Amino acid sequence: MSTDDRVLVVIGSGLKIYREYLIESAARRAAELDLKLVLVNNLKPNWQQPYFDEITVVNVFDHDELRKTVREIADRRTVVGLFSYDEPLVMPTAELAAEFGVPGLGLAGVEGCRDKHATRARLTAAGLPQPGFELTASVEQAREAAARIGYPVVVKPRALGASMGVVLAQDETQLDHAYTVASNASLVGDEPYRDGAIVEGFADGPEISIDGVVHQGEYRALFIARKETGHYPYFEEVGHVVDAADPLLSEQELTDVLTKAHETLGVENGMTHTEVKLTSYGPVIIEINGRLGGDLIPFLGRIATGVDPGELLVEIAAGHRPDTSFSRHGVAGIRFGYPEQDVTVRGVRLPTGLPGLVTASPMVEPGTELRLPPGGYLARHSFVACTGETTEECTERLTAALAAVGLDADPLERKDVEARLEMPAGLLDVDK
């Protein structure tokens, strides 16, 4: 086959609002490397068309069908790499990379990232600071685990992202509620990880996330996002701020923990999104995801540092050592708009022309029902993204911009916690 047949296969495009900036950069970098992008997606293409040389529509969540489709592409073209940033698709992507002998997370690495229970077990065995934990299959077992671990505890699904179904329980009464929420939330995840919940000790301290790259087993942190959560006792992520000058980037203890964790899990090649609590006894890894971050965190990182995650996706997948040096030193943040109660959205009005405002967007269509935890998750009607000279200035601008968002909505009756959780239509971008 000629060099014209050399392709990178992208599995799942994600939603335009969350991921187009990545694909735009990836397509540009692929062209520079004389590679073409081929998309295998579960939805008919619209905005994706300009960026891909070929698009195949198939049920990507049927992994047998997905593997068959990618193998057919490999019969016609030279597949030099694959990547995905969609949480349920990172495992089959890694399996295909191993089959074709091209760079990938590695089967051990992706399993260690995907299964939160496996992550805890392997990091604990490696001697890294970890809370007590237990995978439980019933509320009775969860009560026993919590009593052994000691309250407060966090109850969470085994393999979801975006803090969906994650609940803090201060005592046994709250634990019963938390277990119901977490176990119900697990039902929207992959089949192997449904039902039950992990009970683990509460790591007290500020939470951050780190997007990083791994090339041939060597880990490098890219940028740190300071996370803002809300809707206590849940852990809904309501905003993030990335500062290129964040002093934690040069904190050796954090670097050592991140490096050892990735080595322990066996991550080989790819981008990861790690969540960490900064406790009184040092940085504690909450989870490692085998893909870059959602919530437009990589977009914030690009604005703040000049490092383009879309380009890095291509470089790592194609086997190149990526350049992660900063070309900018700024601050960028995002804040998400939530209703004060469960509502049906009639419309969203966005601000314009505010200091530091980079972009603002609605996240739902009129008629969408938004339900707050535990009846629903990601009940976001909009987002605003801003820059600033300092973290404090950026945060102030985000607060002002979000306050300028107008929501027209009708109230809904609150759902019973026992009901299965809901996500706004079109918003379950599980790579979030």
Side-chain angles (χ1 to χ4, degrees):
M1 296 183 182
S2 71
T3 56
D4 290 341
D5 292 312
R6 298 172 67 248
V7 300
L8 290 176
V9 178
V10 181
I11 299 179
S13 68
L15 300 177
K16 178 177 182 179
I17 193 172
Y18 275 130
R19 299 304 195 184
E20 185 177 20
Y21 73 97
L22 287 169
I23 291 299
E24 182 180 20
S25 296
R28 181 177 61 251
R29 184 63 179 132
E32 292 170 352
L33 295 174
D34 292 323
L35 299 171
K36 301 246 175 40
L37 291 186
V38 170
L39 174 65
V40 181
N41 205 37
N42 59 310
L43 298 175
K44 291 182 179 179
N46 43 61
W47 63 268
Q48 301 96 331
Q49 290 278 17
Y51 306 117
F52 291 94
D53 186 63
E54 176 185 333
I55 299 176
T56 300
V57 178
V58 67
N59 180 7
V60 293
F61 302 106
D62 181 333
H63 293 173
D64 289 337
E65 190 66 25
L66 173 61
R67 282 188 284 266
K68 177 183 176 183
T69 300
V70 177
R71 287 166 182 160
E72 289 174 349
I73 293 170
D75 286 340
R76 298 183 284 104
R77 314 188 76 163
T78 302
V79 175
V80 301
L82 308 93
F83 67 81
S84 179
Y85 38 70
D86 197 342
E87 185 70 27
L89 301 176
V90 294
M91 177 61 84
T93 302
E95 290 171 344
L96 285 163
E99 177 181 333
F100 296 156
V102 298
L105 289 170
L107 298 183
V110 73
E111 176 64 26
C113 293
R114 188 85 180 94
D115 183 346
K116 292 179 173 61
H117 181 254
T119 304
R120 281 274 178 269
R122 289 162 68 175
L123 297 185
T124 300
L128 286 166
Q130 290 282 280
F133 67 99
E134 187 170 326
L135 180 62
T136 63
S138 68
V139 68
E140 292 79 16
Q141 189 178 355
R143 288 179 194 147
E144 294 171 0
R148 284 192 294 272
I149 293 168
Y151 288 96
V153 296
V154 174
V155 188
K156 63 202 297 185
R158 189 173 175 184
L160 285 180
S163 300
M164 291 186 290
V166 181
V167 192
L168 178 68
Q170 298 281 1
D171 53 35
E172 186 171 297
T173 301
Q174 292 182 4
L175 180 84
D176 290 4
H177 165 86
Y179 181 85
T180 299
V181 171
S183 182
N184 284 353
S186 74
L187 299 178
V188 304
D190 289 355
E191 183 68 39
Y193 308 115
R194 293 179 184 172
D195 296 326
I198 298 172
V199 178
E200 62 185 36
F202 176 62
D204 193 13
E207 187 167 357
I208 62 172
S209 67
I210 306 96
D211 279 37
V213 296
V214 186
H215 175 65
Q216 296 181 359
E218 178 187 353
Y219 175 82
R220 280 174 285 168
L222 291 177
F223 40 79
I224 290 172
R226 303 277 181 157
K227 181 185 299 186
E228 181 182 354
T229 59
H231 304 283
Y232 178 89
Y234 312 99
F235 293 82
E236 193 87 357
E237 299 174 17
V238 299
H240 310 268
V241 174
V242 175
D243 184 349
D246 195 313
L248 287 174
L249 285 168
S250 56
E251 176 63 52
Q252 191 61 48
E253 184 180 18
L254 176 60
T255 298
D256 290 345
V257 166
L258 290 167
T259 299
K260 185 173 182 180
H262 283 77
E263 290 175 350
T264 298
L265 296 184
V267 180
E268 296 175 6
N269 297 280
M271 300 190 70
T272 64
H273 178 73
T274 306
E275 298 181 355
V276 171
K277 281 289 193 76
L278 303 175
T279 73
S280 59
Y281 49 91
V284 173
I285 289 179
I286 301 303
E287 61 184 51
I288 300 178
N289 301 282
R291 39 82 184 171
L292 45 64
D295 272 2
L296 291 169
I297 292 173
F299 177 68
L300 304 179
R302 185 176 75 177
I303 294 172
T305 70
V307 176
D308 194 320
E311 294 184 359
L312 297 186
L313 283 169
V314 168
E315 291 168 3
I316 298 166
H320 296 274
R321 182 179 177 84
D323 179 5
T324 59
S325 56
F326 289 6
S327 60
R328 299 183 203 136
H329 290 81
V331 182
I334 192 167
R335 192 78 59 78
F336 297 98
Y338 285 76
E340 295 182 357
Q341 64 182 93
D342 294 356
V343 299
T344 300
V345 175
R346 286 190 279 112
V348 178
R349 289 169 280 112
L350 300 172
T352 58
L354 296 180
L357 181 65
V358 176
T359 185
S361 176
M363 301 187 72
V364 292
E365 298 291 334
T368 300
E369 291 188 359
L370 295 180
R371 294 190 180 275
L372 299 170
Y377 291 90
L378 307 183
R380 300 163 168 179
H381 55 72
S382 60
F383 72 80
V384 295
C386 296
T387 59
E389 292 297 319
T390 63
T391 295
E392 292 73 20
E393 182 180 63
C394 183
T395 301
E396 290 173 1
R397 289 175 170 181
L398 288 169
T399 300
L402 190 61
V405 174
L407 175 65
D408 300 320
D410 299 315
L412 284 168
E413 184 178 349
R414 187 75 167 158
K415 288 190 72 171
D416 191 293
V417 67
E418 300 293 334
R420 179 169 172 169
L421 68 85
E422 294 181 356
M423 243 65 71
L427 199 66
L428 182 53
D429 190 42
V430 287
D431 56 4
K432 196 208 81 42

